[in-house]
Coordinates of all heavy atoms in Angstrom, one line a residue:
M1 N 54.4 133.2 64.3 CA 53.0 133.4 64.8 C 52.7 134.9 64.6 O 53.4 135.7 65.2 CB 52.9 133.0 66.2 CG 51.5 133.2 66.7 SD 50.1 132.2 65.9 CE 50.7 130.5 66.1
R2 N 51.7 135.2 63.9 CA 51.3 136.6 63.8 C 50.8 137.1 65.3 O 49.8 136.5 65.8 CB 50.2 136.7 62.8 CG 49.9 138.1 62.3 CD 49.0 138.2 61.3 NE 48.9 139.4 60.5 CZ 47.8 140.1 60.2 NH1 46.7 139.8 60.7 NH2 48.0 141.2 59.5
T3 N 51.2 138.2 65.8 CA 50.8 138.6 67.0 C 49.6 139.5 66.9 O 49.3 140.0 65.9 CB 51.9 139.4 67.7 OG1 52.2 140.6 67.0 CG2 53.2 138.6 67.9
F4 N 48.9 139.6 68.1 CA 47.7 140.6 68.1 C 48.1 142.0 67.8 O 47.4 142.7 67.2 CB 47.0 140.5 69.5 CG 45.9 139.6 69.5 CD1 45.6 138.7 68.5 CD2 45.0 139.6 70.6 CE1 44.5 137.8 68.5 CE2 43.9 138.8 70.6 CZ 43.7 137.8 69.6
A6 N 50.5 142.9 65.7 CA 50.4 143.0 64.3 C 49.1 143.0 63.6 O 48.8 143.9 62.7 CB 51.2 141.9 63.7
A7 N 48.1 142.2 64.1 CA 46.8 142.3 63.6 C 46.2 143.6 63.9 O 45.3 144.1 63.1 CB 46.0 141.1 64.3
E8 N 46.4 144.1 65.1 CA 45.8 145.4 65.5 C 46.3 146.5 64.6 O 45.5 147.4 64.3 CB 46.0 145.8 66.9 CG 45.3 144.8 67.9 CD 45.6 145.0 69.3 OE1 46.6 145.8 69.6 OE2 45.1 144.2 70.2
A9 N 47.6 146.6 64.4 CA 48.0 147.7 63.5 C 47.4 147.6 62.1 O 47.1 148.7 61.5 CB 49.6 147.6 63.4
G10 N 47.4 146.4 61.5 CA 46.7 146.3 60.2 C 45.3 146.6 60.2 O 44.8 147.4 59.4
T11 N 44.6 146.1 61.3 CA 43.2 146.3 61.3 C 42.9 147.8 61.5 O 41.9 148.3 61.0 CB 42.5 145.5 62.4 OG1 42.9 144.1 62.3 CG2 41.0 145.5 62.4
A12 N 43.6 148.4 62.4 CA 43.3 149.9 62.6 C 43.5 150.7 61.4 O 42.7 151.5 61.1 CB 44.4 150.3 63.7
L14 N 43.1 149.5 58.2 CA 42.1 149.2 57.3 C 40.8 149.8 57.8 O 39.9 150.2 57.0 CB 42.0 147.7 57.2 CG 43.1 146.9 56.5 CD1 42.8 145.4 56.7 CD2 43.1 147.2 55.1
L15 N 40.6 149.9 59.2 CA 39.4 150.5 59.7 C 39.5 152.0 59.3 O 38.4 152.6 58.8 CB 39.4 150.5 61.2 CG 38.6 151.4 62.0 CD1 37.1 151.2 61.7 CD2 38.8 151.3 63.4
L18 N 38.3 152.4 55.6 CA 36.9 152.1 55.5 C 36.1 153.4 56.0 O 35.1 153.8 55.3 CB 36.5 150.9 56.3 CG 36.9 149.5 55.7 CD1 36.7 148.5 56.7 CD2 36.2 149.3 54.3
L127 N 47.6 149.0 51.4 CA 46.3 149.0 52.0 C 45.4 147.8 51.4 O 44.7 147.2 52.2 CB 45.6 150.3 51.7 CG 44.2 150.4 52.3 CD1 44.3 150.3 53.8 CD2 43.6 151.9 52.0
P147 N 52.1 143.7 57.4 CA 51.0 142.8 57.2 C 49.6 143.5 57.5 O 48.9 143.3 58.4 CB 51.2 141.7 58.3 CG 51.9 142.5 59.4 CD 52.8 143.5 58.7
L148 N 49.3 144.5 56.6 CA 48.0 145.2 56.7 C 46.9 144.3 56.2 O 45.7 144.6 56.6 CB 48.2 146.5 55.8 CG 49.3 147.5 56.2 CD1 49.2 148.7 55.5 CD2 49.2 147.7 57.7
T149 N 47.2 143.3 55.4 CA 46.1 142.4 55.1 C 46.7 141.0 55.3 O 47.8 140.8 55.7 CB 45.9 142.5 53.5 OG1 46.9 141.9 52.8 CG2 45.7 143.9 53.1
P150 N 45.8 139.9 55.3 CA 46.3 138.6 55.5 C 47.2 138.0 54.5 O 47.6 136.8 54.6 CB 44.9 137.8 55.6 CG 43.8 138.7 55.7 CD 44.3 140.0 54.9
A151 N 47.6 138.7 53.4 CA 48.4 138.1 52.3 C 49.7 137.5 52.9 O 50.1 136.4 52.4 CB 48.8 139.3 51.4
Y152 N 50.4 138.1 53.8 CA 51.6 137.6 54.4 C 51.4 136.3 55.1 O 52.4 135.6 55.4 CB 52.4 138.6 55.1 CG 53.0 139.6 54.2 CD1 52.3 140.9 54.1 CD2 54.1 139.5 53.5 CE1 52.8 141.8 53.2 CE2 54.7 140.4 52.7 CZ 54.0 141.7 52.5 OH 54.4 142.7 51.6
D153 N 50.2 135.9 55.5 CA 49.9 134.7 56.2 C 49.1 133.7 55.3 O 48.6 132.7 55.7 CB 49.1 134.9 57.5 CG 49.9 135.6 58.6 OD1 50.8 134.9 59.1 OD2 49.6 136.7 58.9
T154 N 49.2 134.0 54.0 CA 48.5 133.2 53.0 C 49.3 132.7 51.9 O 49.2 131.5 51.6 CB 47.3 134.1 52.4 OG1 46.5 134.7 53.4 CG2 46.5 133.2 51.3
Y155 N 50.2 133.5 51.3 CA 50.9 133.1 50.1 C 52.4 132.8 50.3 O 53.0 133.4 51.2 CB 50.8 134.2 49.1 CG 49.3 134.5 48.7 CD1 48.7 135.6 49.1 CD2 48.7 133.8 47.7 CE1 47.4 135.9 48.8 CE2 47.4 134.0 47.4 CZ 46.7 135.0 47.9 OH 45.5 135.3 47.5
S164 N 55.9 134.6 60.4 CA 54.6 133.9 60.3 C 54.8 132.4 60.6 O 55.9 131.9 60.2 CB 53.9 134.0 58.9 OG 52.9 133.2 58.8
A166 N 52.2 130.3 59.9 CA 51.0 129.7 59.1 C 51.7 128.9 57.8 O 52.8 129.2 57.4 CB 50.1 130.8 58.4
R168 N 50.9 128.9 54.7 CA 51.1 129.8 53.5 C 51.1 129.1 52.3 O 52.1 129.1 51.4 CB 52.3 130.7 53.8 CG 52.3 131.7 54.8 CD 53.4 132.3 55.4 NE 54.4 132.7 54.5 CZ 55.6 132.1 54.3 NH1 55.9 131.3 55.2 NH2 56.5 132.6 53.4
E171 N 46.1 129.0 49.7 CA 44.6 128.6 49.7 C 43.8 129.5 50.6 O 42.7 130.0 50.2 CB 44.4 127.1 50.2 CG 45.1 126.1 49.3 CD 44.5 126.1 47.9 OE1 43.3 126.3 47.8 OE2 45.3 126.1 46.9
A172 N 44.2 129.7 51.9 CA 43.4 130.6 52.8 C 44.4 131.2 53.8 O 45.4 130.5 54.0 CB 42.3 129.7 53.5
P173 N 44.0 132.3 54.4 CA 44.9 132.8 55.5 C 45.1 131.8 56.7 O 44.1 131.1 57.0 CB 44.2 134.1 55.9 CG 43.2 134.4 54.8 CD 42.8 133.1 54.3
G174 N 46.2 131.9 57.2 CA 46.5 131.1 58.4 C 46.1 129.6 58.3 O 46.6 128.9 57.4
W175 N 45.4 129.2 59.2 CA 45.0 127.7 59.3 C 43.5 127.7 58.9 O 42.6 128.0 59.7 CB 45.2 127.1 60.7 CG 46.7 127.0 60.9 CD1 47.4 125.9 60.7 CD2 47.5 127.9 61.4 NE1 48.7 126.1 61.2 CE2 48.8 127.4 61.5 CE3 47.3 129.3 61.8 CZ2 50.0 128.1 62.0 CZ3 48.5 130.0 62.3 CH2 49.7 129.4 62.4
D176 N 43.1 127.3 57.7 CA 41.8 127.2 57.2 C 41.0 128.5 57.4 O 39.8 128.5 57.8 CB 41.0 126.0 57.8 CG 41.7 124.7 57.5 OD1 42.0 124.6 56.4 OD2 41.7 123.8 58.3
G177 N 41.7 129.6 57.1 CA 41.0 130.9 57.3 C 41.1 131.6 58.6 O 40.5 132.7 58.9
V178 N 41.7 130.9 59.6 CA 41.8 131.4 60.9 C 43.3 131.8 61.3 O 44.2 131.1 61.1 CB 41.4 130.4 62.0 CG1 41.4 130.9 63.4 CG2 39.9 130.0 61.7
L179 N 43.5 133.0 61.7 CA 44.8 133.5 62.2 C 44.8 133.5 63.7 O 43.8 133.5 64.4 CB 45.1 134.9 61.7 CG 45.2 135.1 60.3 CD1 45.4 136.5 59.9 CD2 46.4 134.3 59.6
Y180 N 46.0 133.4 64.3 CA 46.2 133.4 65.7 C 47.1 134.4 66.2 O 48.0 134.8 65.6 CB 46.6 132.0 66.1 CG 45.7 130.9 65.9 CD1 45.4 130.3 64.7 CD2 44.8 130.4 67.0 CE1 44.4 129.4 64.5 CE2 43.9 129.5 66.8 CZ 43.7 128.9 65.6 OH 42.7 128.0 65.4
G181 N 46.8 135.0 67.4 CA 47.7 135.9 68.0 C 47.7 135.8 69.5 O 46.8 135.3 70.1
A206 N 30.5 148.4 61.2 CA 31.0 147.1 61.3 C 32.5 146.8 61.5 O 32.9 146.1 62.3 CB 30.5 146.4 60.0
A207 N 33.3 147.6 60.7 CA 34.8 147.3 60.8 C 35.3 147.7 62.1 O 36.1 147.1 62.8 CB 35.4 148.1 59.7
S208 N 34.7 148.8 62.7 CA 35.1 149.3 64.0 C 34.7 148.4 65.1 O 35.5 148.0 66.0 CB 34.6 150.7 64.3 OG 35.0 151.2 65.5
T209 N 33.5 147.9 65.1 CA 33.0 146.9 66.1 C 33.7 145.6 66.0 O 34.0 145.0 67.0 CB 31.5 146.6 66.1 OG1 31.1 146.3 64.8 CG2 30.8 148.0 66.3
S210 N 34.1 145.2 64.9 CA 34.8 143.9 64.7 C 36.2 144.0 65.3 O 36.6 143.1 65.9 CB 34.8 143.5 63.2 OG 35.6 142.4 63.0
Y211 N 36.9 145.1 65.1 CA 38.2 145.4 65.5 C 38.2 145.4 67.0 O 39.0 144.9 67.8 CB 38.7 146.6 64.9 CG 40.1 147.2 65.5 CD1 41.0 146.3 66.0 CD2 40.3 148.5 65.5 CE1 42.2 146.8 66.4 CE2 41.5 149.0 66.0 CZ 42.5 148.1 66.4 OH 43.7 148.6 66.9
A212 N 37.2 146.1 67.6 CA 37.0 146.3 69.1 C 36.8 144.9 69.7 O 37.3 144.6 70.8 CB 35.8 147.2 69.4
R213 N 36.0 144.1 69.1 CA 35.7 142.7 69.6 C 37.1 141.9 69.7 O 37.3 141.1 70.6 CB 34.7 142.0 68.6 CG 34.3 140.6 69.3 CD 33.0 140.2 68.5 NE 33.1 140.2 67.1 CZ 32.4 141.1 66.3 NH1 31.5 142.0 66.9 NH2 32.5 141.1 65.0
L214 N 38.0 142.1 68.6 CA 39.2 141.4 68.7 C 40.0 141.8 70.0 O 40.6 141.0 70.6 CB 40.0 141.8 67.5 CG 41.5 141.3 67.4 CD1 41.6 139.8 67.5 CD2 42.1 141.9 66.1
I215 N 40.1 143.1 70.2 CA 40.7 143.6 71.4 C 40.2 143.1 72.7 O 40.8 142.7 73.6 CB 40.8 145.1 71.4 CG1 41.6 145.7 70.2 CG2 41.5 145.6 72.6 CD1 41.5 147.2 70.0
E217 N 38.4 140.5 73.3 CA 38.5 139.0 73.6 C 39.9 138.8 74.1 O 40.1 138.0 75.1 CB 38.4 138.3 72.2 CG 37.0 138.2 71.8 CD 36.8 137.5 70.4 OE1 37.8 137.1 69.9 OE2 35.7 137.4 69.9
L425 N 45.0 133.1 70.5 CA 43.6 133.2 70.3 C 43.3 133.3 68.8 O 43.9 134.0 68.1 CB 42.9 134.3 71.0 CG 43.2 134.4 72.5 CD1 42.5 135.6 73.0 CD2 42.8 133.1 73.2
G426 N 42.3 132.5 68.3 CA 41.9 132.5 66.9 C 41.0 133.7 66.5 O 40.2 134.0 67.3
Y427 N 41.1 134.2 65.3 CA 40.3 135.2 64.8 C 40.3 135.1 63.3 O 41.2 134.7 62.6 CB 40.7 136.6 65.2 CG 42.1 137.0 64.7 CD1 42.2 137.8 63.7 CD2 43.2 136.7 65.5 CE1 43.4 138.2 63.2 CE2 44.4 137.1 65.0 CZ 44.5 137.9 63.9 OH 45.8 138.3 63.5
R428 N 39.2 135.5 62.7 CA 39.0 135.5 61.2 C 39.3 136.9 60.8 O 38.6 137.8 61.1 CB 37.7 134.9 60.8 CG 37.5 133.4 61.0 CD 36.3 132.9 60.4 NE 36.2 131.4 60.5 CZ 36.7 130.6 59.7 NH1 37.4 131.0 58.7 NH2 36.7 129.2 60.1
P429 N 40.3 137.0 59.8 CA 40.5 138.4 59.3 C 39.5 139.0 58.5 O 38.6 138.2 57.9 CB 41.9 138.2 58.5 CG 41.8 136.7 58.1 CD 41.1 136.0 59.3

Side-chain angles (χ1 to χ4, degrees):
M1 179 63 60
R2 194 180 200 228
T3 62
F4 263 12
E8 288 173 2
T11 308
L14 290 173
L15 165 65
L18 288 170
L127 181 60
L148 303 184
T149 75
Y152 289 96
D153 288 295
T154 305
Y155 298 101
S164 175
R168 293 165 40 242
E171 296 298 320
W175 292 263
D176 297 323
V178 180
L179 296 177
Y180 290 79
S208 184
T209 56
S210 177
Y211 173 34
R213 186 163 52 249
L214 170 65
I215 300 173
E217 288 175 0
L425 306 182
Y427 62 97
R428 289 190 177 274

